[in-house]
Amino acid sequence: MPADAQEVVIFRGDQVKVRRRTSAGWLVALITISSFATACSSSADDPPADMSAASSDHPFSLFLGEEIGQIDYAQLKVRNKCLAKAGYPQNLNVMLGQPRNPFRHLIITARTFGPTSVEEAKRVGFGRDSLSAPPSVVSFDPNYDRAYDSCTDDAWKALSDDAKNVYYGYFDLGNKLSQPLSRTINERMGVSAWQKLLSCLDDKGHRPRSEQEFLQTPNPGLFGVPVGVDAAEGLDRWQPKQVPGTVEVGPAVPATQYQAGPVESALAVAWFECRQQTGIDKLQLQTAVEVQRELVDKYESSFLELNPQVTRIAKQAAELIGAP
């Protein structure tokens, strides 16, 4: 890191970012979760892993995202109370009031692949409504930074000696499930399926800028239509004043409903209708189940090792902060 740079810790929901202030401006990078992952050993008191969902229609229900959210929330709450005792109440004042599953995207449903009704297609298009998010807390105070590091270590130890390693090890597993999922489903569907969708869309007057590119990656953004992603995108443009010795708190980001424009709505309605007419909607869900089963089978040893530990630590986390 350059000599003129200052590391600044930012907390937003279930993300941890590091900002480094340099003469060139702000550099932002997500901490690589897998870099924290180390070997985890099960306790004799851990409940056995229940792998029965592996052969179900919802294989990823094996992934304990809600429990990881509980562990994360408890660790943050203990850490933020520690910071408040050290004279820094900002994080405690703005943190979420309840846990959130940081791997909600692993809950695969029909909505994962696009609108599920004409009404939904008209309103949301290819975008999504966004949850509220707490304010960013940005430090320019080295005393805060030291308190943060100390409180973070103490919070993990308060959960259990192995909580930090298990937590980050499970994040690594979640990333391994997430990264290949969409790509593998698209490839497994095959060109013939996407050709049927393309032909149907063409009949309705929608043509992509590149047919070949669409057949490789069926992306609605290839149709030259402004396609939304997140209702809250662009709302959090707050910039700290960067006053040395201060801890700054930005504005909260409210929950927001996405509203598609008329051109996006028209394409989304055609997309929904064509997926139904060609049977791609059912084929895509069926393919998704197959891919999930394969990924669960590939990482079965990780589930067997980590799920019992996550279950145990989530229970300890809830008891620690008095959660139900």
Side-chain angles (χ1 to χ4, degrees), residues 189 193-194 196-197 200 271-287:
M189 291 281 290
W194 301 129
K196 289 179 183 177
L197 179 62
C200 178
W271 190 282
F272 164 73
E273 292 174 344
C274 284
R275 289 183 73 247
Q276 281 201 318
Q277 291 168 17
T278 58
I280 284 176
D281 56 341
K282 294 181 178 63
L283 179 61
Q284 205 164 21
L285 269 178
Q286 179 184 336
T287 304

Side-chain angles (χ1 to χ4, degrees), residues 90-111:
Q90 293 90 341
N91 295 82
L92 185 62
N93 289 341
V94 303
M95 73 176 291
L96 293 172
Q98 60 187 8
R100 274 185 187 169
N101 178 357
F103 284 92
R104 294 182 295 276
H105 59 282
L106 288 183
I107 303 172
I108 309 300
T109 67
R111 183 64 181 88

Side-chain angles (χ1 to χ4, degrees), residues 71 74-76 78-79 149-165 167-168 312-313 316-317 320:
I71 294 169
Q75 188 271 338
L76 290 176
V78 174
R79 183 202 66 193
D149 290 340
S150 176
C151 287
T152 298
D153 290 340
D154 289 347
W156 281 119
K157 292 173 184 175
L159 266 67
S160 72
D161 290 340
D162 62 345
K164 182 177 180 180
N165 285 343
Y167 174 84
Y168 284 115
R312 166 176 52 85
I313 296 170
Q316 293 170 340
L320 179 66

